Structures are given as C-alpha cells and as structure tokens.
Amino acid sequence: MKRKFLGIDIGGTNLRGKIISEDGKPLAERKTCSDAHMGISRLIENLSSFIKEFPCEEVSAIGIGIPGTIDRGDGMLIQAPNIANTKNFPFTKALIEKIGATTPIFIENDAACAALGEYGAGAGKGSNSMIMITLGTGFGGGIILDGKLWSGEDGFAGEVGHMTINPLGPRCACGANGCVETYVSQVAIKRIVCEYPELCKKLAGTEESSIPKRLAELAHKRDESAIEIWNNFGTNLGVGISILVNVLDIKTVVVGGGLSGSWQLFIDKTIEEVEKRSLGAHARGLQIKKAFLGDDAGVLGACYVAKSGLEKNC
Ligand SMILES: [Zn+2]
C-alpha cells in the first residue's frame, strides 16, 4: 500500500493541515484557528483536536512546522516568540500524550518547511541547492544544499535574518546591532516609517501588520518617501542575498512571505545590489525568484518533513 503523510503548519493565527500521497498528490486539506497567542497548552489542545479530524490511521507519519527554535532529536520547542509562555517545552512528547498516537511525529522550523515546500513544488523546483528568504514580521530563511535541508551542527541553521549588514545599525531583537532583519522586515518598516515625519503622520494609527500594504499604496501613488523606503528595502535585501551567495555559491534564491507582495517596488534595487556585490562567478546564472506557493509552502514542506523523517528512521 502506498504511504500517506500529514503535514501541519502552525501559524500565529491558523493551523493548516494537508495529507499528501507518496508521490506528492494532495488528498485532504483543512484549516482552523491556532490560538497560539493563548499559550502552548491551548495550542497543543487545538492541535490535537485538529489532527484527529484527519484519517490518522491511514497516515504513515506526521510533520509539523513550528514558528520557533526547535530541537528535532528530542522534539523540544526551545523558544517561540509568538507562542505565549513557551521555553524548553517537550512539544512532541506533550502532543503524543494528548492524541495517544502511535504515528511518528517529526517537527521542523516553519521557515525551513516553507523552503522545503518551495523547493519541492514551487519556485525552487528543479534546482539543486536553494536559499529561501521569508519576508514577514521578521526575516526568516531556509537553506537547501544538494537537495537536503541544511540544519547545521546543532540544528539552528538558517538564521539568515541575523547577518550583520551594519554594525552601527539599530538594535535587533537578538541583541546585536544592524542585522539585516532590522532593515528588511515588517518590524523594520514600522521603525523606518517613523524616521519620515510626513509619512509617520499619514500612517499614524495604522496597525503594524497593515503598514507595509499602506506604504506600497503610497509608493504606487508616487509618494517620494514611500518610494525611497522600498528602494532602501530592496538594496538592503540585496546586501543580505549577496553575502549568502558569495559564501554558498547557490544559484537559486527564492523570496516569499507577506512583504514579497510588494516585489515590483523593491526587486530592481535588490538585483542591482546583488550584481554589484556578488563576485563574478557567483552572480553568473543567479536567479532571484518570487515564491509562488504562498501559505501552501509551509504545510507542504511539513508533509515532506514527515516523509523524510520516516525515511531517516528506517
Ligand atoms: Zn539579529
């Protein structure tokens, strides 16, 4: 009998689940609220009910994408800024106890899942190695080398948002100064907008998550400050990408996440900067592509995590 895999993507707002067949065909799909902001106990509760909605007896393994730092081997969630009260939580153990399942469960970071999804069925399909950059609240990433996710010696690889691009730059949430995330992310845009008094006034009262969209509208209406912000955003993204391609010599960079919706406003500056900074051989044949699976990338990647987890364990 052909095997089936269940993938779950935990988002700040939603849980998304999908079952795929061994050859990647989607068989079932669902979505519900995650209530992640209400804490880890509530999340485990919701996740357990959600998993039970799927025909788990037909599933060979479950993969789960989590927005946080994880320890794959022990199934621990080390920290997750968007899930309240979470530090060193035995995630897999708690979930298995709750659902009473015997199906193997494998966890992975959510940005890494998105990278696996785009690599397997999205903008990175057909490439050998790929870097995925997810532009959302922060600047996330996933690195795929020779077809495999590179997790690093301790499992924490892919923290591309914390490459320093200006040691004298603004303070980052990680404690360092001038990480690329402090220039190229939703959080960064909120801060930068306030450096332009007129723009700050225009956007006063706008929710943080809506500021990039409003800023894009203003840029399309030829607001000079808004255009300048998107240009600098593109340039700084290019600085980050050039560091990665110079070090790794990877020819496919996929950019996704909510802010990639403003692609036309920043991509020319990104390409210009990458061409300026990448060493000749590295720039040759380099493709910077827009992700096209959207929210589906993470959940599909979680299915692949289930599949590869099972194969590694066999
Ligand atoms: Zn940082």
Side-chain angles (χ1 to χ4, degrees), residues 52-294:
K52 285 176 186 165
E53 285 177 28
F54 289 91
C56 287
E57 62 288 348
E58 297 172 15
V59 167
S60 304
I62 301 172
I64 302 179
I66 306 176
T69 312
I70 55 154
D71 182 332
R72 292 162 194 80
D74 294 337
M76 294 283 289
L77 177 50
I78 295 165
Q79 65 181 78
N82 297 320
I83 306 172
N85 314 319
T86 308
K87 209 156 197 200
N88 296 323
F89 181 77
F91 188 91
T92 309
K93 186 167 168 271
L95 187 60
I96 287 173
E97 276 171 15
K98 194 84 199 162
I99 55 181
T102 49
T103 314
I105 295 177
F106 302 97
I107 60 171
E108 187 48 81
N109 167 267
D110 63 342
C113 284
L116 288 168
E118 287 290 341
Y119 181 78
K125 194 175 175 186
S127 61
N128 177 47
S129 298
M130 180 196 105
I131 298 167
M132 165 109 188
I133 291 172
T134 305
L135 303 175
T137 311
F139 185 113
I143 300 169
I144 290 169
L145 299 178
D146 280 335
K148 288 202 179 100
L149 183 71
W150 172 249
S151 305
E153 298 288 357
D154 283 330
F156 306 138
E159 292 290 350
V160 292
H162 301 287
M163 291 183 290
T164 302
I165 62 167
N166 176 9
L168 304 176
R171 188 83 155 170
C172 178
C174 73
N177 285 75
C179 299
V180 66
E181 182 167 292
T182 66
Y183 293 95
V184 187
S185 65
Q186 182 184 295
V187 171
I189 286 181
K190 187 189 172 204
R191 186 198 75 247
I192 294 163
V193 157
C194 289
E195 292 167 5
Y196 295 77
E198 282 302 310
L199 209 50
C200 198
K201 243 186 271 166
K202 277 184 202 168
L203 297 174
T206 308
E207 247 184 73
E208 181 183 304
S209 58
S210 304
I211 291 177
K213 195 168 166 259
R214 292 271 291 116
L215 190 67
E217 287 164 6
L218 288 167
H220 285 302
K221 286 180 190 157
R222 313 303 307 160
D223 180 294
E224 281 182 19
S225 302
I227 291 171
E228 188 175 295
I229 291 175
W230 283 113
N231 281 344
N232 292 341
F233 180 98
T235 300
N236 287 318
L237 174 61
V239 174
I241 291 176
S242 65
I243 295 171
L244 291 166
V245 300
N246 281 340
V247 172
L248 295 169
D249 186 21
I250 281 178
K251 299 297 182 200
T252 307
V253 177
V254 175
V255 181
L259 300 188
S260 66
S262 298
W263 187 257
Q264 302 296 346
L265 295 171
F266 64 77
I267 195 59
D268 289 348
K269 288 287 175 190
T270 303
I271 292 169
E272 192 182 309
E273 197 64 21
V274 171
E275 282 175 355
K276 208 192 298 173
R277 289 175 179 269
S278 299
L279 308 175
H282 296 88
R284 209 176 306 132
L286 175 67
Q287 288 187 297
I288 302 175
K289 298 176 166 182
K290 189 177 175 188
F292 63 71
L293 292 180

